[in-house]
Amino acid sequence: MATTAELFEEPFVADEYIERLAWRTPGGGSRGGEAFDPKRLLEEFVNHIQELQVMDERIQRKVEKLEQQCQKEAKEFAKKVQELQKSNQVAFQHFQELDEHISYVATKVCHLGDQLEGVNTPRQRAVEAQKLMKYFNEFLDGELKSDVFTNSEKIKEAADIIQKLHLIAQELPFDRFSEVKSKIASKYHDLECQLIQEFTSAQRRGEISRMREVAAVLLHFKGYSHCVDVYIKQCQEGAFLRNDVFEDAAILCQRVNKQVGEVFSNPETVLAKLIQNIFEVKLQSYVKDQLEEHRKSDAEQYLKNLYDLYTRTTNLSSKLMEFNLGTDKQTFLSKLIKSIFISYLENYIEVEIGYLKSRSAMILQRYYDSKNHQKRSIGTGGIQDLKERIRQRTNLPLGPSIDTHGETFLSQEVVVNLLQETKQAFERCHRLSDPSDLPKNAFRIFSMLVEFLCTEHIDYALETGLAGIPSSDSKNANLYFLDVVHQANTIFHLFDKQFNDHLMPLIRTLNCMIGQMKHILTAEQKKTDFKPEDENNVLIQYTNACVKVCGYVRKQVEKIRSSMDGKNVDTVLMELGVRFHRLIYEHLQQYSYSCMGGMLAICDVAEYRKCAKDFKIALVLQLFDTLHALCNLLVVAPDNLKQVCSGEQLANLDKNILHSFVQLRVDYRSARLARHFS
């Protein structure tokens, strides 16, 4: 059997098992030169089969025994499980009973607690009332014996008591309790002063925790605001030692902002009060000193100081915006700035115009004095009569010519000085004018420039040059007038540059118009306008946003035509038209379009194009024609895309522009459309 067991190897393979058995049998193979003996091998196989049968029977009996044992143990285990389940059910039942009992006890305890609280609260109030009556009697007797009033370390408790007594005393009739009310009020005031003094000392020592404790006690006193005032006053001690009061103020507010939240329960109110104090005391005093010194004696320095001080104040306000000052800090700070400068800004433009007028006149007079020239009145025709006067001089002399000795009476230095003064005036105007008055004030400054540069200098030089043209029969005549024209042309380019660089940004009428159009489009245009839910039920010809924008634009075009003349109308309308087109172009790029939505967009652009015709500017109409053609890409069939893109109006456009419109289609990502547009 042992030998038989040795033949079993894992994993078991029947063929290998037979081979091993034959190999171990003498004569069963070619081992050691022995001859093959089939009978012996058969006999071995028969014997081995018998051994396997005996082994099988033995193993079967063992298996049956183990199965019986397993079944027995399974029955015992099941019995134990049943017993445990019964025990668990009993325990669970006991737990439920215990839980119910605990809930019952807890309910009783809560009820008892409520009853105790109901009894204890009146009792505590009675005890507190008894104590207050005791302290009240001491005031009534005129002698404070309680330790809470005599011990300086118990000032917090004394403050709580006296604050309550003070409230009670206010309800008592004056005729019977005037004396005791006076004593309580006196003690109330004394304690308030002591607390404020304690707060002051703690602030000087830098004891934040003590400051917070005292401030919390004073919160219920009338003098709490005085505590805040003391804090604000001490914060500013030694804070304004340098020459830059604005930088000092910013540093102070930054430091206090970090500390105030650790001391007061309402830090934003305290910080706002500090800033208000700085503006109304320090800054207002500083601004007044700087401006009043030159207000009547030196207009130039006054305007420079006003501009500088207002700029630095607004910059300080911008820095303070980062702090928590309550709900509307923008309005709060604006009011503070206005309170400082209102008396100076009310008549600012009058001072500006007066200074600019006198300064410009002085610059011109200084120049003519340097040339030993006395300005004279020469005719009344002006530059516009130039051709007529030349014709007259060619055919019929009107009198003796003026000998200018080759002087053009034009100076680029004078022009630069006038332009520089006006530039500075524009900068001050932009900063100091109310937004509603800015265009009007800027125009007044520009009028001063026109008067002194164009009329008093350029026009005068041209008139003088015209008067200096010799008659047709003069010999060896010098035509200095051409030099005057050359210099006048150069100067006028400088004048035109300042007009564009400094006046136009201040007179922002076109910007306002475009901003209003943008507001209408934002408010009225809906995404569903160009991607309707029901493609078969679109009843409108163009969108509500389009109707309102076109109505607004037509009114503005009419106003421009009635307010201007000549080439100015075309120049302004061209600028407005180009901006109008750019606005509509960018607006359309924000949406995606279904087939019906694309048709509606085309209708909108057609209406915009009708509106553009009112401009009577070829470039503007051409821009809207191209935009209308681009919108056709939103609805054209995919097979016809290339043909439309190569049409007359779109052929010269950049492919990226065409692609940007095709991408707005809701079917853009379809393979068919992508293939036709690639």
Side-chain angles (χ1 to χ4, degrees):
M1 287 297 177
T3 302
T4 301
E6 292 175 359
L7 295 174
F8 290 97
E9 294 182 359
E10 294 293 339
F12 178 78
V13 180
D15 291 343
E16 293 181 1
Y17 177 77
I18 298 300
E19 286 293 334
R20 288 196 297 271
L21 180 60
W23 183 80
R24 292 168 63 93
T25 303
S30 58
R31 184 183 60 174
E34 295 179 357
F36 175 69
D37 188 353
K39 290 183 179 181
R40 190 167 183 179
L41 183 60
L42 176 61
E43 182 181 355
E44 182 65 26
F45 280 171
V46 171
N47 293 335
H48 194 73
I49 289 171
Q50 292 175 352
E51 291 178 1
L52 288 175
Q53 289 175 342
V54 173
M55 182 184 294
D56 179 63
E57 292 174 356
R58 184 180 300 169
I59 292 174
Q60 188 63 35
R61 287 194 298 269
K62 189 174 182 179
V63 169
E64 291 175 355
K65 183 178 179 182
L66 290 173
E67 287 178 348
Q68 292 175 358
Q69 185 178 354
C70 183
Q71 292 175 358
K72 181 180 178 182
E73 291 180 356
K75 290 179 180 180
E76 293 176 354
F77 180 75
K79 185 178 180 181
K80 288 182 179 180
V81 169
Q82 290 178 351
E83 293 175 353
L84 289 174
Q85 286 180 339
K86 291 179 180 179
S87 300
N88 184 58
Q89 289 178 352
V90 173
F92 182 72
Q93 185 177 358
H94 290 167
F95 176 77
Q96 284 184 323
E97 293 175 356
L98 181 60
D99 184 57
E100 292 174 359
H101 186 66
I102 291 174
S103 299
Y104 175 77
V105 172
T107 303
K108 288 292 185 181
V109 169
C110 291
H111 179 66
L112 181 60
D114 292 339
Q115 289 182 327
L116 289 174
E117 184 178 2
V119 173
N120 189 53
T121 301
R123 179 179 175 279
Q124 286 182 337
R125 291 176 181 172
V127 171
E128 185 175 352
Q130 184 182 21
K131 289 182 179 178
L132 290 175
M133 290 173 64
K134 174 188 173 184
Y135 298 133
F136 185 82
N137 286 332
E138 291 185 13
F139 281 98
L140 197 60
D141 295 338
E143 185 178 359
L144 300 179
K145 301 177 181 179
S146 298
D147 182 58
V148 71
F149 293 127
T150 57
N151 189 345
S152 59
E153 295 182 359
K154 294 185 177 182
I155 188 172
K156 182 178 179 181
E157 292 84 348
D160 181 62
I161 293 168
I162 201 65
Q163 195 267 338
K164 293 175 180 177
L165 288 176
H166 186 261
L167 293 175
I168 294 172
Q170 290 178 348
E171 303 296 327
L172 298 176
F174 182 79
D175 54 348
R176 293 178 55 193
F177 297 95
S178 59
E179 185 178 353
V180 70
K181 289 179 71 170
S182 175
K183 292 178 180 178
I184 292 175
S186 177
K187 187 63 176 179
Y188 180 93
H189 178 71
D190 291 344
L191 277 175
E192 195 175 59
C193 293
Q194 291 180 40
L195 287 168
I196 292 174
Q197 183 60 43
E198 177 63 25
F199 181 89
T200 304
S201 301
Q203 184 177 2
R204 288 174 178 168
R205 295 192 301 268
E207 297 178 359
I208 301 298
S209 59
R210 182 58 178 165
M211 291 169 63
R212 179 172 59 250
E213 182 181 355
V214 176
V217 175
L218 277 169
L219 183 62
H220 304 289
F221 279 76
K222 295 180 180 179
Y224 177 73
S225 60
H226 186 54
C227 172
V228 174
D229 293 338
V230 169
Y231 176 78
I232 290 173
K233 181 180 179 181
Q234 290 199 163
C235 283
Q236 298 181 64
E237 291 180 359
F240 296 95
L241 298 178
R242 294 177 294 180
N243 294 328
D244 193 344
V245 65
F246 297 95
E247 185 63 25
D248 286 340
I251 294 173
L252 171 62
C253 292
Q254 185 72 39
R255 174 171 59 82
V256 172
N257 181 60
K258 296 178 180 178
Q259 183 186 82
V260 69
E262 301 178 2
V263 177
F264 297 97
S265 59
N266 54 339
E268 66 282 351
T269 304
V270 177
L271 184 58
K273 195 168 184 180
L274 169 65
I275 292 173
Q276 182 178 357
N277 182 268
I278 292 173
F279 272 74
E280 294 179 352
V281 179
K282 288 290 182 182
L283 295 188
Q284 189 158 23
S285 174
Y286 180 78
V287 168
K288 184 177 180 180
D289 291 343
Q290 295 292 313
L291 294 180
E292 293 297 333
E293 180 182 358
H294 305 287
R295 189 170 189 175
K296 296 181 179 179
S297 60
D298 189 346
E300 180 182 10
Q301 191 62 46
Y302 169 77
L303 288 170
K304 288 181 179 179
N305 288 354
L306 178 60
Y307 175 79
D308 177 65
L309 292 169
Y310 190 83
T311 301
R312 295 170 71 187
T313 305
T314 53
N315 290 340
L316 173 61
S317 175
S318 299
K319 293 179 181 179
L320 300 179
M321 282 291 292
E322 67 183 67
F323 304 137
N324 180 15
L325 304 177
T327 52
D328 194 357
K329 53 187 174 183
Q330 178 68 53
T331 303
F332 170 71
L333 292 171
S334 297
K335 287 182 177 179
L336 291 179
I337 295 174
K338 186 176 181 180
S339 67
I340 295 177
F341 291 96
I342 187 170
S343 61
Y344 305 107
L345 298 182
E346 284 178 341
N347 66 337
Y348 149 72
I349 192 61
E350 303 302 330
V351 178
E352 185 73 77
I353 295 299
Y355 163 72
L356 194 60
K357 187 173 183 178
S358 62
R359 178 67 176 172
S360 300
M362 185 192 72
I363 292 172
L364 287 178
Q365 190 60 47
R366 184 185 298 167
Y367 168 72
Y368 294 125
D369 290 346
S370 69
K371 298 295 183 180
N372 293 319
H373 176 74
Q374 181 66 39
K375 287 188 71 176
R376 66 197 73 182
S377 176
I378 302 180
T380 59
I383 300 175
Q384 61 269 25
D385 297 330
L386 175 62
K387 291 183 179 180
E388 178 63 21
R389 295 186 64 181
I390 291 178
R391 186 189 65 76
Q392 291 175 355
R393 285 185 178 279
T394 302
N395 296 317
L396 181 65
L398 298 178
S401 300
I402 297 175
D403 188 3
T404 62
H405 303 288
E407 181 60 58
T408 63
F409 292 108
L410 287 173
S411 168
Q412 288 198 12
E413 181 181 356
V414 168
V415 173
V416 169
N417 288 337
L418 289 174
L419 292 176
Q420 181 64 23
E421 292 291 341
T422 310
K423 176 184 175 182
Q424 293 174 357
F426 278 137
E427 290 175 352
R428 289 191 291 265
C429 177
H430 188 202
R431 173 69 69 176
L432 302 174
S433 294
D434 186 270
S436 60
D437 296 331
L438 179 58
K440 177 179 62 178
N441 292 347
F443 181 76
R444 291 185 65 181
I445 293 173
F446 178 71
S447 298
M448 286 290 100
L449 179 64
V450 171
E451 178 183 347
F452 286 94
L453 177 60
C454 297
T455 304
E456 296 294 332
H457 193 56
I458 299 177
D459 194 8
Y460 176 77
L462 289 172
E463 292 283 1
T464 304
L466 283 172
I469 296 177
S471 61
S472 58
D473 57 353
S474 298
K475 298 179 180 180
N476 301 322
N478 292 319
L479 300 179
Y480 295 113
F481 179 69
L482 295 179
D483 295 333
V484 176
V485 172
H486 173 69
Q487 288 193 29
N489 185 55
T490 302
I491 290 170
F492 203 81
H493 281 302
L494 296 175
F495 169 78
D496 181 65
K497 185 176 186 304
Q498 183 163 80
F499 176 85
N500 292 318
D501 291 349
H502 296 96
L503 179 65
M504 287 303 294
L506 300 183
I507 307 178
R508 293 171 293 184
T509 306
L510 294 183
N511 289 343
C512 293
M513 291 180 183
I514 296 300
Q516 184 63 24
M517 295 181 212
K518 185 180 295 185
H519 173 72
I520 294 173
L521 290 171
T522 303
E524 300 294 335
Q525 198 83 75
K526 300 178 177 59
K527 291 185 178 180
T528 54
D529 287 346
F530 302 120
K531 198 163 59 173
E533 297 179 359
D534 187 355
E535 292 279 322
N536 300 319
N537 191 26
V538 179
L539 303 178
I540 58 176
Q541 294 181 344
Y542 28 74
T543 66
N544 189 47
C546 172
V547 174
K548 291 193 174 183
V549 168
C550 289
Y552 176 79
V553 171
R554 288 189 174 100
K555 289 181 180 179
Q556 304 314 310
V557 171
E558 184 179 346
K559 285 183 179 179
I560 291 172
R561 291 194 183 281
S562 63
S563 304
M564 300 180 183
D565 57 11
K567 292 185 178 180
N568 290 335
V569 177
D570 293 340
T571 301
V572 174
L573 286 180
M574 178 180 289
E575 179 66 21
L576 177 61
V578 171
R579 294 192 188 188
F580 175 37
H581 166 265
R582 170 56 57 182
L583 175 66
I584 300 302
Y585 176 88
E586 294 177 349
H587 175 71
L588 293 173
Q589 295 276 331
Q590 300 176 19
Y591 301 91
S592 58
Y593 301 84
S594 64
C595 182
M596 186 55 65
M599 292 297 298
L600 196 57
I602 291 175
C603 294
D604 274 7
V605 174
E607 193 66 19
Y608 291 134
R609 185 172 57 175
K610 288 181 184 178
C611 188
K613 288 182 180 179
D614 295 343
F615 286 68
K616 297 180 181 180
I617 304 294
L619 174 62
V620 176
L621 186 58
Q622 181 183 351
L623 289 172
F624 277 95
D625 285 341
T626 303
L627 182 59
H628 189 269
L630 280 170
C631 287
N632 288 329
L633 298 177
L634 301 174
V635 298
V636 69
D639 295 340
N640 299 330
L641 268 175
K642 285 190 176 180
Q643 180 182 351
V644 174
C645 290
S646 59
E648 180 180 353
Q649 290 181 316
L650 301 181
N652 295 326
L653 291 181
D654 187 275
K655 187 176 180 181
N656 291 329
I657 296 177
L658 302 177
H659 194 194
S660 67
F661 265 81
V662 176
Q663 283 181 316
L664 301 177
R665 297 170 58 134
V666 294
D667 60 349
Y668 169 70
R669 296 195 177 277
S670 66
R672 185 182 176 203
L673 182 61
R675 181 175 67 254
H676 280 90
F677 194 74
S678 61

